[in-house]
Amino acid sequence: VSDLVVASHRGPYTVTFDERPFAGLERPGGPRVHAIVDRRVAALYPAELAPVLATPSTLCLEASEASKSLDRFPAYVQHLVGAGVRRGHVLVGIGGGVIQDITAFLAATLLRGLDWEFYPTTLLAQADSCIGSKSSINVGRLKNVLGTFTPPRAIHIATAVLGTLRDVDLRSGLGEILKAHAIAGPAAFDEIAADYTRLRAERVLMIRYLRRSLVIKQAIVETDEFDRGPRRVMNYGHSFGHAIESVTGFAVPHGIAVTIGMDLANHVAVRLGLAQAAHYARMHPTLAANYAGWEPAGLSVDALLAVLGTDKKNGDGALGLVLPDAEGRVAYALHPNDARLRAACAEYLAGLGDVDMGAGVGA
Ligand SMILES: NC(=O)c1ccc[n+]([C@@H]2O[C@H](COP(=O)([O-])OP(=O)(O)OC[C@H]3O[C@@H](n4cnc5c(N)ncnc54)[C@H](O)[C@@H]3O)[C@@H](O)[C@H]2O)c1
Ligand SMILES: [Zn+2]
């Protein structure tokens, strides 16, 4: 699988695909490296990570939203500085999106900035979050409210480590892969939808769609690294998804919530007269398969809309939503938070999105 080179405001960085997990962690003669490692990954790969785990400065953390909460950072900083982190050293994140956010945020701020590298170990991190420069951490109940644009120096992907992921974490990553293809357009989505049931068993196929997701995202983030315009389409499924995550107390994994969010966005777009019912019906079977077991039926529409009203992408008095248009292409626009939107959400949460509009589902 060929490498990618992503342009950023700090210069280009490389995404390499390596068969050997955690290859290149030891580079004798280079600057000192300090690792931040997902505890679960450390337990699953003790041999491959032995040198890292034996290094006193290594931080082993649980991959949870609490771990990327601002109140945990004093302990991280004290540990790293106490263990000898100095300017010119390099941080290395080994784990999923949680470890990425912690490593990138520390790299942005510790000693006014350190270089960092990333070994993504979840499908979500490999296919989506690893590129795009963003770091975000939580403050109390406010998720991803502090953040920076801090591209890494290099990203090392070893798809072999996906073999130990739980099914729910695979599906979470697949949610972002489906999102990228939906953004690329109906033809790209139909192609992955046709292969969806084979993806988990066929690694070569999975890697092809994983890499293509990165290529789709790369073109967008290179155009708008700082998320001021075109990059907003990457948030397809995310306003609704974040609201679902928040309302359920983060019981629904991010990429699963995004999958539901796309389905809900499609339903809302049809009800607002923006998209065709056929668009909802075309995507629904694949999206529903990906969020199976996490159906949002029964969630409170009041709670959902309350969270939606606080989204980062909103304008004054209006909701900033990414919705499909008549051609099935997604676009960001401001929409009034009115009775029509509320009715569409309520209908979907009552489980009627499917029944009502599903004529021709499966076509
Ligand atoms: N900075 C960004 O651009 C960006 C983008 C998207 C998401 N995120 C953030 O990423 C987080 C979600 O990331 P995630 O889905 O990677 O979740 P995660 O980092 O919480 O990992 C999910 C689970 O998989 C486990 N795990 C990791 N690698 C494994 C492996 N190889 N084998 C077995 N288990 C493994 C983890 O321990 C955890 O239990 C959220 O906090 C989200 O806000 C950030
Ligand atoms: Zn996401």
Side-chain angles (χ1 to χ4, degrees):
V1 185
S2 59
D3 297 353
L4 297 172
V5 179
V6 182
S8 82
H9 69 287
R10 295 254 188 104
Y13 55 93
T14 312
V15 182
T16 52
F17 291 82
D18 205 313
E19 277 308 300
R20 206 161 58 87
F22 315 117
L25 265 174
E26 306 103 82
R27 268 153 293 178
R32 274 189 65 186
V33 165
H34 307 277
I36 299 166
V37 186
D38 180 329
R39 193 172 281 161
R40 190 178 158 82
V41 174
L44 286 167
Y45 299 91
E48 294 85 343
L49 291 172
V52 172
L53 299 175
T55 304
S57 67
T58 296
L59 256 181
C60 248
L61 305 175
E62 191 199 339
S64 66
E65 288 300 316
S67 291
K68 51 175 264 194
S69 197
L70 182 63
D71 58 6
R72 298 286 177 88
F73 279 72
Y76 303 158
V77 169
Q78 277 155 7
H79 170 87
L80 290 168
V81 174
V85 175
R86 299 292 179 262
R87 297 182 88 169
H89 292 184
V90 177
L91 300 182
V92 175
I94 302 172
V98 165
I99 297 297
Q100 175 189 344
D101 275 339
I102 294 167
T103 308
F105 192 79
L106 283 168
T109 48
L110 193 57
L111 309 175
R112 292 206 187 79
L114 301 170
D115 279 337
W116 73 286
E117 296 194 12
F118 188 33
Y119 288 76
T121 62
T122 61
L123 182 58
L124 183 138
Q126 293 191 351
D128 178 56
S129 68
C130 69
I131 65 168
S133 312
K134 287 184 184 175
S135 81
S136 346
I137 67 165
N138 308 327
V139 179
R141 293 174 51 123
L142 301 173
K143 185 173 147 86
N144 290 346
V145 71
L146 287 190
T148 64
F149 289 98
T150 314
R153 203 170 65 166
I155 296 162
H156 312 269
I157 294 182
T159 54
V161 301
L162 301 177
T164 50
L165 277 183
R166 288 162 293 201
D167 182 65
V168 64
D169 294 312
L170 264 184
R171 282 205 271 150
S172 185
L174 278 170
E176 298 281 14
I177 292 179
L178 290 171
K179 179 203 72 177
H181 286 76
I183 290 167
F189 186 86
D190 289 347
E191 197 182 327
I192 188 171
D195 285 335
Y196 176 80
T197 54
R198 292 162 57 209
L199 279 181
R200 267 170 280 188
E202 294 182 35
R203 183 144 154 252
V204 175
L205 207 55
M206 177 74 100
I207 295 169
R208 193 207 298 163
Y209 287 109
L210 185 165
R211 190 178 184 285
R212 196 185 286 172
S213 295
L214 289 174
V215 170
I216 293 165
K217 179 170 178 179
Q218 177 185 6
I220 296 169
V221 299
E222 285 184 344
T223 313
D224 179 23
E225 187 179 359
F226 297 113
D227 208 2
R228 300 205 173 110
R231 186 171 175 177
R232 289 184 171 181
V233 296
M234 290 303 297
N235 274 287
Y236 181 39
H238 277 65
S239 300
F240 293 117
H242 281 152
I244 288 163
E245 287 181 88
S246 173
V247 168
T248 59
F250 297 96
V252 184
H254 177 72
I256 305 272
V258 168
T259 309
I260 302 169
M262 289 187 277
D263 202 35
L264 176 49
N266 292 348
H267 175 77
V268 164
V270 174
R271 282 296 182 252
L272 295 182
L274 302 167
Q276 297 170 11
H279 175 76
Y280 172 90
R282 192 172 57 78
M283 288 181 64
H284 177 74
T286 308
L287 298 177
N290 201 54
Y291 66 66
W294 301 87
E295 285 76 6
L299 282 189
S300 148
V301 70
D302 290 317
L304 189 90
L305 287 174
V307 182
L308 213 55
T310 65
D311 197 87
K312 285 198 282 283
K313 262 66 187 176
N314 291 344
D316 297 325
L319 299 176
L321 298 175
V322 178
L323 298 176
D325 67 13
E327 276 73 52
R329 300 217 147 250
V330 296
Y332 168 89
L334 293 173
H335 297 275
N337 189 353
D338 62 7
R340 272 211 307 169
L341 182 90
R342 191 195 157 79
C345 291
E347 189 179 40
Y348 182 86
L349 293 176
L352 297 175
D354 203 7
V355 179
D356 220 19
M357 308 175 32
V361 168

PDB file of all heavy atoms in Angstrom, residues 143-176:
ATOM      1  N   LYS A 143     -17.612  18.403  25.517  1.00  0.00           N
ATOM      2  CA  LYS A 143     -16.716  17.529  24.773  1.00  0.00           C
ATOM      3  C   LYS A 143     -15.991  18.308  23.675  1.00  0.00           C
ATOM      4  O   LYS A 143     -16.592  19.131  22.981  1.00  0.00           O
ATOM      5  CB  LYS A 143     -17.525  16.379  24.160  1.00  0.00           C
ATOM      6  CG  LYS A 143     -16.646  15.354  23.456  1.00  0.00           C
ATOM      7  CD  LYS A 143     -17.409  14.142  22.998  1.00  0.00           C
ATOM      8  CE  LYS A 143     -16.850  13.565  21.712  1.00  0.00           C
ATOM      9  NZ  LYS A 143     -15.758  12.630  21.845  1.00  0.00           N
ATOM     10  N   ASN A 144     -14.711  18.021  23.519  1.00  0.00           N
ATOM     11  CA  ASN A 144     -13.887  18.593  22.442  1.00  0.00           C
ATOM     12  C   ASN A 144     -13.971  20.116  22.381  1.00  0.00           C
ATOM     13  O   ASN A 144     -13.978  20.704  21.302  1.00  0.00           O
ATOM     14  CB  ASN A 144     -14.313  18.010  21.082  1.00  0.00           C
ATOM     15  CG  ASN A 144     -13.927  16.549  20.939  1.00  0.00           C
ATOM     16  OD1 ASN A 144     -13.131  16.031  21.708  1.00  0.00           O
ATOM     17  ND2 ASN A 144     -14.503  15.886  19.955  1.00  0.00           N
ATOM     18  N   VAL A 145     -14.036  20.758  23.550  1.00  0.00           N
ATOM     19  CA  VAL A 145     -14.247  22.209  23.567  1.00  0.00           C
ATOM     20  C   VAL A 145     -12.930  22.987  23.534  1.00  0.00           C
ATOM     21  O   VAL A 145     -12.891  24.133  23.118  1.00  0.00           O
ATOM     22  CB  VAL A 145     -15.135  22.602  24.768  1.00  0.00           C
ATOM     23  CG1 VAL A 145     -14.383  22.441  26.081  1.00  0.00           C
ATOM     24  CG2 VAL A 145     -15.687  24.006  24.631  1.00  0.00           C
ATOM     25  N   LEU A 146     -11.836  22.357  23.948  1.00  0.00           N
ATOM     26  CA  LEU A 146     -10.509  22.972  23.817  1.00  0.00           C
ATOM     27  C   LEU A 146      -9.762  22.222  22.731  1.00  0.00           C
ATOM     28  O   LEU A 146      -9.819  20.992  22.692  1.00  0.00           O
ATOM     29  CB  LEU A 146      -9.711  22.829  25.122  1.00  0.00           C
ATOM     30  CG  LEU A 146     -10.084  23.662  26.330  1.00  0.00           C
ATOM     31  CD1 LEU A 146      -8.989  23.502  27.394  1.00  0.00           C
ATOM     32  CD2 LEU A 146     -10.256  25.126  25.974  1.00  0.00           C
ATOM     33  N   GLY A 147      -9.075  22.965  21.896  1.00  0.00           N
ATOM     34  CA  GLY A 147      -8.344  22.246  20.859  1.00  0.00           C
ATOM     35  C   GLY A 147      -7.383  23.117  20.099  1.00  0.00           C
ATOM     36  O   GLY A 147      -7.336  24.336  20.269  1.00  0.00           O
ATOM     37  N   THR A 148      -6.611  22.453  19.267  1.00  0.00           N
ATOM     38  CA  THR A 148      -5.586  23.137  18.488  1.00  0.00           C
ATOM     39  C   THR A 148      -5.499  22.479  17.109  1.00  0.00           C
ATOM     40  O   THR A 148      -6.064  21.411  16.892  1.00  0.00           O
ATOM     41  CB  THR A 148      -4.199  22.981  19.151  1.00  0.00           C
ATOM     42  OG1 THR A 148      -3.847  21.585  19.150  1.00  0.00           O
ATOM     43  CG2 THR A 148      -4.194  23.479  20.595  1.00  0.00           C
ATOM     44  N   PHE A 149      -4.804  23.130  16.194  1.00  0.00           N
ATOM     45  CA  PHE A 149      -4.447  22.501  14.917  1.00  0.00           C
ATOM     46  C   PHE A 149      -2.960  22.171  14.988  1.00  0.00           C
ATOM     47  O   PHE A 149      -2.120  23.072  14.889  1.00  0.00           O
ATOM     48  CB  PHE A 149      -4.741  23.443  13.758  1.00  0.00           C
ATOM     49  CG  PHE A 149      -6.218  23.631  13.498  1.00  0.00           C
ATOM     50  CD1 PHE A 149      -6.894  24.733  13.996  1.00  0.00           C
ATOM     51  CD2 PHE A 149      -6.928  22.689  12.756  1.00  0.00           C
ATOM     52  CE1 PHE A 149      -8.257  24.907  13.745  1.00  0.00           C
ATOM     53  CE2 PHE A 149      -8.294  22.856  12.511  1.00  0.00           C
ATOM     54  CZ  PHE A 149      -8.956  23.957  13.004  1.00  0.00           C
ATOM     55  N   THR A 150      -2.662  20.916  15.215  1.00  0.00           N
ATOM     56  CA  THR A 150      -1.277  20.498  15.441  1.00  0.00           C
ATOM     57  C   THR A 150      -0.962  19.234  14.652  1.00  0.00           C
ATOM     58  O   THR A 150      -1.135  18.127  15.150  1.00  0.00           O
ATOM     59  CB  THR A 150      -1.023  20.228  16.943  1.00  0.00           C
ATOM     60  OG1 THR A 150      -1.575  21.302  17.712  1.00  0.00           O
ATOM     61  CG2 THR A 150       0.450  20.092  17.237  1.00  0.00           C
ATOM     62  N   PRO A 151      -0.550  19.395  13.390  1.00  0.00           N
ATOM     63  CA  PRO A 151      -0.254  18.199  12.594  1.00  0.00           C
ATOM     64  C   PRO A 151       0.932  17.431  13.170  1.00  0.00           C
ATOM     65  O   PRO A 151       1.823  18.047  13.780  1.00  0.00           O
ATOM     66  CB  PRO A 151       0.086  18.769  11.212  1.00  0.00           C
ATOM     67  CG  PRO A 151       0.451  20.194  11.450  1.00  0.00           C
ATOM     68  CD  PRO A 151      -0.323  20.644  12.643  1.00  0.00           C
ATOM     69  N   PRO A 152       0.930  16.122  12.990  1.00  0.00           N
ATOM     70  CA  PRO A 152       2.060  15.327  13.467  1.00  0.00           C
ATOM     71  C   PRO A 152       3.228  15.415  12.492  1.00  0.00           C
ATOM     72  O   PRO A 152       3.102  15.976  11.401  1.00  0.00           O
ATOM     73  CB  PRO A 152       1.494  13.900  13.483  1.00  0.00           C
ATOM     74  CG  PRO A 152       0.504  13.891  12.364  1.00  0.00           C
ATOM     75  CD  PRO A 152      -0.083  15.277  12.312  1.00  0.00           C
ATOM     76  N   ARG A 153       4.353  14.837  12.886  1.00  0.00           N
ATOM     77  CA  ARG A 153       5.518  14.775  12.002  1.00  0.00           C
ATOM     78  C   ARG A 153       5.398  13.573  11.072  1.00  0.00           C
ATOM     79  O   ARG A 153       5.878  13.605   9.947  1.00  0.00           O
ATOM     80  CB  ARG A 153       6.766  14.642  12.884  1.00  0.00           C
ATOM     81  CG  ARG A 153       8.038  15.089  12.262  1.00  0.00           C
ATOM     82  CD  ARG A 153       9.139  15.134  13.290  1.00  0.00           C
ATOM     83  NE  ARG A 153       9.456  13.789  13.803  1.00  0.00           N
ATOM     84  CZ  ARG A 153      10.547  13.516  14.511  1.00  0.00           C
ATOM     85  NH1 ARG A 153      11.391  14.478  14.813  1.00  0.00           N
ATOM     86  NH2 ARG A 153      10.767  12.296  14.950  1.00  0.00           N
ATOM     87  N   ALA A 154       4.748  12.509  11.567  1.00  0.00           N
ATOM     88  CA  ALA A 154       4.589  11.296  10.751  1.00  0.00           C
ATOM     89  C   ALA A 154       3.513  10.415  11.361  1.00  0.00           C
ATOM     90  O   ALA A 154       3.264  10.464  12.568  1.00  0.00           O
ATOM     91  CB  ALA A 154       5.912  10.525  10.684  1.00  0.00           C
ATOM     92  N   ILE A 155       2.880   9.625  10.505  1.00  0.00           N
ATOM     93  CA  ILE A 155       1.857   8.675  10.941  1.00  0.00           C
ATOM     94  C   ILE A 155       2.241   7.300  10.407  1.00  0.00           C
ATOM     95  O   ILE A 155       2.597   7.171   9.230  1.00  0.00           O
ATOM     96  CB  ILE A 155       0.464   9.098  10.408  1.00  0.00           C
ATOM     97  CG1 ILE A 155       0.051  10.440  11.009  1.00  0.00           C
ATOM     98  CG2 ILE A 155      -0.591   8.031  10.721  1.00  0.00           C
ATOM     99  CD1 ILE A 155      -1.056  11.137  10.252  1.00  0.00           C
ATOM    100  N   HIS A 156       2.187   6.311  11.283  1.00  0.00           N
ATOM    101  CA  HIS A 156       2.587   4.956  10.908  1.00  0.00           C
ATOM    102  C   HIS A 156       1.393   4.023  11.083  1.00  0.00           C
ATOM    103  O   HIS A 156       0.978   3.760  12.218  1.00  0.00           O
ATOM    104  CB  HIS A 156       3.730   4.471  11.800  1.00  0.00           C
ATOM    105  CG  HIS A 156       4.854   5.477  11.927  1.00  0.00           C
ATOM    106  ND1 HIS A 156       5.934   5.476  11.075  1.00  0.00           N
ATOM    107  CD2 HIS A 156       5.052   6.512  12.792  1.00  0.00           C
ATOM    108  CE1 HIS A 156       6.758   6.468  11.412  1.00  0.00           C
ATOM    109  NE2 HIS A 156       6.242   7.113  12.456  1.00  0.00           N
ATOM    110  N   ILE A 157       0.836   3.552   9.975  1.00  0.00           N
ATOM    111  CA  ILE A 157      -0.344   2.679  10.042  1.00  0.00           C
ATOM    112  C   ILE A 157       0.069   1.224   9.844  1.00  0.00           C
ATOM    113  O   ILE A 157       0.722   0.885   8.852  1.00  0.00           O
ATOM    114  CB  ILE A 157      -1.379   3.079   8.965  1.00  0.00           C
ATOM    115  CG1 ILE A 157      -1.946   4.477   9.280  1.00  0.00           C
ATOM    116  CG2 ILE A 157      -2.508   2.040   8.885  1.00  0.00           C
ATOM    117  CD1 ILE A 157      -3.005   4.954   8.304  1.00  0.00           C
ATOM    118  N   ALA A 158      -0.324   0.383  10.796  1.00  0.00           N
ATOM    119  CA  ALA A 158      -0.172  -1.072  10.639  1.00  0.00           C
ATOM    120  C   ALA A 158      -1.563  -1.675  10.794  1.00  0.00           C
ATOM    121  O   ALA A 158      -2.101  -1.741  11.899  1.00  0.00           O
ATOM    122  CB  ALA A 158       0.779  -1.636  11.691  1.00  0.00           C
ATOM    123  N   THR A 159      -2.144  -2.083   9.662  1.00  0.00           N
ATOM    124  CA  THR A 159      -3.530  -2.561   9.728  1.00  0.00           C
ATOM    125  C   THR A 159      -3.622  -3.900  10.466  1.00  0.00           C
ATOM    126  O   THR A 159      -4.708  -4.290  10.878  1.00  0.00           O
ATOM    127  CB  THR A 159      -4.140  -2.699   8.313  1.00  0.00           C
ATOM    128  OG1 THR A 159      -3.281  -3.517   7.530  1.00  0.00           O
ATOM    129  CG2 THR A 159      -4.301  -1.342   7.669  1.00  0.00           C
ATOM    130  N   ALA A 160      -2.499  -4.579  10.647  1.00  0.00           N
ATOM    131  CA  ALA A 160      -2.522  -5.862  11.369  1.00  0.00           C
ATOM    132  C   ALA A 160      -3.114  -5.701  12.769  1.00  0.00           C
ATOM    133  O   ALA A 160      -3.770  -6.617  13.270  1.00  0.00           O
ATOM    134  CB  ALA A 160      -1.112  -6.443  11.450  1.00  0.00           C
ATOM    135  N   VAL A 161      -2.911  -4.550  13.403  1.00  0.00           N
ATOM    136  CA  VAL A 161      -3.409  -4.383  14.780  1.00  0.00           C
ATOM    137  C   VAL A 161      -4.935  -4.270  14.844  1.00  0.00           C
ATOM    138  O   VAL A 161      -5.518  -4.360  15.927  1.00  0.00           O
ATOM    139  CB  VAL A 161      -2.776  -3.176  15.518  1.00  0.00           C
ATOM    140  CG1 VAL A 161      -1.262  -3.314  15.581  1.00  0.00           C
ATOM    141  CG2 VAL A 161      -3.180  -1.850  14.896  1.00  0.00           C
ATOM    142  N   LEU A 162      -5.572  -4.082  13.694  1.00  0.00           N
ATOM    143  CA  LEU A 162      -7.041  -4.012  13.703  1.00  0.00           C
ATOM    144  C   LEU A 162      -7.654  -5.363  14.061  1.00  0.00           C
ATOM    145  O   LEU A 162      -8.816  -5.446  14.457  1.00  0.00           O
ATOM    146  CB  LEU A 162      -7.564  -3.544  12.336  1.00  0.00           C
ATOM    147  CG  LEU A 162      -7.069  -2.177  11.860  1.00  0.00           C
ATOM    148  CD1 LEU A 162      -7.614  -1.871  10.465  1.00  0.00           C
ATOM    149  CD2 LEU A 162      -7.480  -1.080  12.843  1.00  0.00           C
ATOM    150  N   GLY A 163      -6.861  -6.421  13.937  1.00  0.00           N
ATOM    151  CA  GLY A 163      -7.344  -7.775  14.229  1.00  0.00           C
ATOM    152  C   GLY A 163      -7.787  -7.966  15.662  1.00  0.00           C
ATOM    153  O   GLY A 163      -8.580  -8.882  15.951  1.00  0.00           O
ATOM    154  N   THR A 164      -7.309  -7.152  16.580  1.00  0.00           N
ATOM    155  CA  THR A 164      -7.692  -7.318  17.991  1.00  0.00           C
ATOM    156  C   THR A 164      -8.815  -6.367  18.410  1.00  0.00           C
ATOM    157  O   THR A 164      -9.249  -6.392  19.567  1.00  0.00           O
ATOM    158  CB  THR A 164      -6.470  -7.086  18.915  1.00  0.00           C
ATOM    159  OG1 THR A 164      -5.848  -5.859  18.558  1.00  0.00           O
ATOM    160  CG2 THR A 164      -5.465  -8.217  18.790  1.00  0.00           C
ATOM    161  N   LEU A 165      -9.289  -5.544  17.486  1.00  0.00           N
ATOM    162  CA  LEU A 165     -10.367  -4.603  17.841  1.00  0.00           C
ATOM    163  C   LEU A 165     -11.675  -5.340  18.109  1.00  0.00           C
ATOM    164  O   LEU A 165     -11.995  -6.304  17.431  1.00  0.00           O
ATOM    165  CB  LEU A 165     -10.622  -3.624  16.690  1.00  0.00           C
ATOM    166  CG  LEU A 165      -9.754  -2.392  16.534  1.00  0.00           C
ATOM    167  CD1 LEU A 165     -10.287  -1.579  15.357  1.00  0.00           C
ATOM    168  CD2 LEU A 165      -9.754  -1.545  17.801  1.00  0.00           C
ATOM    169  N   ARG A 166     -12.451  -4.838  19.065  1.00  0.00           N
ATOM    170  CA  ARG A 166     -13.801  -5.378  19.260  1.00  0.00           C
ATOM    171  C   ARG A 166     -14.693  -4.962  18.095  1.00  0.00           C
ATOM    172  O   ARG A 166     -14.459  -3.934  17.472  1.00  0.00           O
ATOM    173  CB  ARG A 166     -14.381  -4.850  20.581  1.00  0.00           C
ATOM    174  CG  ARG A 166     -13.721  -5.489  21.802  1.00  0.00           C
ATOM    175  CD  ARG A 166     -13.963  -4.687  23.045  1.00  0.00           C
ATOM    176  NE  ARG A 166     -13.276  -3.397  22.969  1.00  0.00           N
ATOM    177  CZ  ARG A 166     -12.964  -2.659  24.026  1.00  0.00           C
ATOM    178  NH1 ARG A 166     -13.290  -3.063  25.234  1.00  0.00           N
ATOM    179  NH2 ARG A 166     -12.348  -1.501  23.887  1.00  0.00           N
ATOM    180  N   ASP A 167     -15.715  -5.766  17.847  1.00  0.00           N
ATOM    181  CA  ASP A 167     -16.603  -5.510  16.716  1.00  0.00           C
ATOM    182  C   ASP A 167     -17.171  -4.091  16.759  1.00  0.00           C
ATOM    183  O   ASP A 167     -17.258  -3.413  15.730  1.00  0.00           O
ATOM    184  CB  ASP A 167     -17.742  -6.544  16.693  1.00  0.00           C
ATOM    185  CG  ASP A 167     -18.650  -6.335  15.489  1.00  0.00           C
ATOM    186  OD1 ASP A 167     -18.166  -6.512  14.351  1.00  0.00           O
ATOM    187  OD2 ASP A 167     -19.822  -5.957  15.683  1.00  0.00           O
ATOM    188  N   VAL A 168     -17.543  -3.643  17.945  1.00  0.00           N
ATOM    189  CA  VAL A 168     -18.155  -2.315  18.049  1.00  0.00           C
ATOM    190  C   VAL A 168     -17.154  -1.220  17.643  1.00  0.00           C
ATOM    191  O   VAL A 168     -17.523  -0.232  17.010  1.00  0.00           O
ATOM    192  CB  VAL A 168     -18.716  -2.077  19.468  1.00  0.00           C
ATOM    193  CG1 VAL A 168     -17.612  -2.069  20.511  1.00  0.00           C
ATOM    194  CG2 VAL A 168     -19.504  -0.789  19.524  1.00  0.00           C
ATOM    195  N   ASP A 169     -15.875  -1.415  17.955  1.00  0.00           N
ATOM    196  CA  ASP A 169     -14.866  -0.427  17.571  1.00  0.00           C
ATOM    197  C   ASP A 169     -14.594  -0.473  16.066  1.00  0.00           C
ATOM    198  O   ASP A 169     -14.321   0.556  15.446  1.00  0.00           O
ATOM    199  CB  ASP A 169     -13.586  -0.634  18.375  1.00  0.00           C
ATOM    200  CG  ASP A 169     -13.804  -0.347  19.862  1.00  0.00           C
ATOM    201  OD1 ASP A 169     -14.392   0.707  20.171  1.00  0.00           O
ATOM    202  OD2 ASP A 169     -13.433  -1.183  20.702  1.00  0.00           O
ATOM    203  N   LEU A 170     -14.681  -1.676  15.477  1.00  0.00           N
ATOM    204  CA  LEU A 170     -14.570  -1.781  14.022  1.00  0.00           C
ATOM    205  C   LEU A 170     -15.716  -1.032  13.358  1.00  0.00           C
ATOM    206  O   LEU A 170     -15.526  -0.268  12.412  1.00  0.00           O
ATOM    207  CB  LEU A 170     -14.635  -3.254  13.591  1.00  0.00           C
ATOM    208  CG  LEU A 170     -13.328  -3.999  13.361  1.00  0.00           C
ATOM    209  CD1 LEU A 170     -13.631  -5.389  12.842  1.00  0.00           C
ATOM    210  CD2 LEU A 170     -12.420  -3.253  12.383  1.00  0.00           C
ATOM    211  N   ARG A 171     -16.929  -1.246  13.866  1.00  0.00           N
ATOM    212  CA  ARG A 171     -18.088  -0.584  13.267  1.00  0.00           C
ATOM    213  C   ARG A 171     -18.025   0.930  13.461  1.00  0.00           C
ATOM    214  O   ARG A 171     -18.484   1.697  12.611  1.00  0.00           O
ATOM    215  CB  ARG A 171     -19.382  -1.163  13.848  1.00  0.00           C
ATOM    216  CG  ARG A 171     -19.721  -2.503  13.210  1.00  0.00           C
ATOM    217  CD  ARG A 171     -21.203  -2.757  13.309  1.00  0.00           C
ATOM    218  NE  ARG A 171     -21.520  -3.435  14.551  1.00  0.00           N
ATOM    219  CZ  ARG A 171     -22.678  -3.297  15.188  1.00  0.00           C
ATOM    220  NH1 ARG A 171     -23.609  -2.500  14.732  1.00  0.00           N
ATOM    221  NH2 ARG A 171     -22.895  -3.964  16.302  1.00  0.00           N
ATOM    222  N   SER A 172     -17.466   1.364  14.575  1.00  0.00           N
ATOM    223  CA  SER A 172     -17.296   2.796  14.799  1.00  0.00           C
ATOM    224  C   SER A 172     -16.393   3.384  13.700  1.00  0.00           C
ATOM    225  O   SER A 172     -16.707   4.413  13.104  1.00  0.00           O
ATOM    226  CB  SER A 172     -16.698   3.019  16.195  1.00  0.00           C
ATOM    227  OG  SER A 172     -16.628   4.386  16.488  1.00  0.00           O
ATOM    228  N   GLY A 173     -15.295   2.703  13.412  1.00  0.00           N
ATOM    229  CA  GLY A 173     -14.408   3.150  12.332  1.00  0.00           C
ATOM    230  C   GLY A 173     -15.091   3.079  10.976  1.00  0.00           C
ATOM    231  O   GLY A 173     -14.930   3.965  10.135  1.00  0.00           O
ATOM    232  N   LEU A 174     -15.873   2.024  10.765  1.00  0.00           N
ATOM    233  CA  LEU A 174     -16.601   1.887   9.500  1.00  0.00           C
ATOM    234  C   LEU A 174     -17.572   3.052   9.303  1.00  0.00           C
ATOM    235  O   LEU A 174     -17.809   3.482   8.179  1.00  0.00           O
ATOM    236  CB  LEU A 174     -17.363   0.557   9.464  1.00  0.00           C
ATOM    237  CG  LEU A 174     -16.528  -0.663   9.063  1.00  0.00           C
ATOM    238  CD1 LEU A 174     -17.310  -1.956   9.294  1.00  0.00           C
ATOM    239  CD2 LEU A 174     -16.093  -0.556   7.602  1.00  0.00           C
ATOM    240  N   GLY A 175     -18.136   3.555  10.404  1.00  0.00           N
ATOM    241  CA  GLY A 175     -19.039   4.703  10.316  1.00  0.00           C
ATOM    242  C   GLY A 175     -18.348   5.890   9.657  1.00  0.00           C
ATOM    243  O   GLY A 175     -18.905   6.549   8.776  1.00  0.00           O
ATOM    244  N   GLU A 176     -17.103   6.155  10.060  1.00  0.00           N
ATOM    245  CA  GLU A 176     -16.359   7.280   9.469  1.00  0.00           C
ATOM    246  C   GLU A 176     -15.972   6.972   8.020  1.00  0.00           C
ATOM    247  O   GLU A 176     -15.918   7.873   7.176  1.00  0.00           O
ATOM    248  CB  GLU A 176     -15.108   7.599  10.287  1.00  0.00           C
ATOM    249  CG  GLU A 176     -15.384   8.038  11.726  1.00  0.00           C
ATOM    250  CD  GLU A 176     -15.830   9.502  11.864  1.00  0.00           C
ATOM    251  OE1 GLU A 176     -16.183  10.137  10.845  1.00  0.00           O
ATOM    252  OE2 GLU A 176     -15.824  10.002  13.000  1.00  0.00           O
TER     253      GLU A 176
END
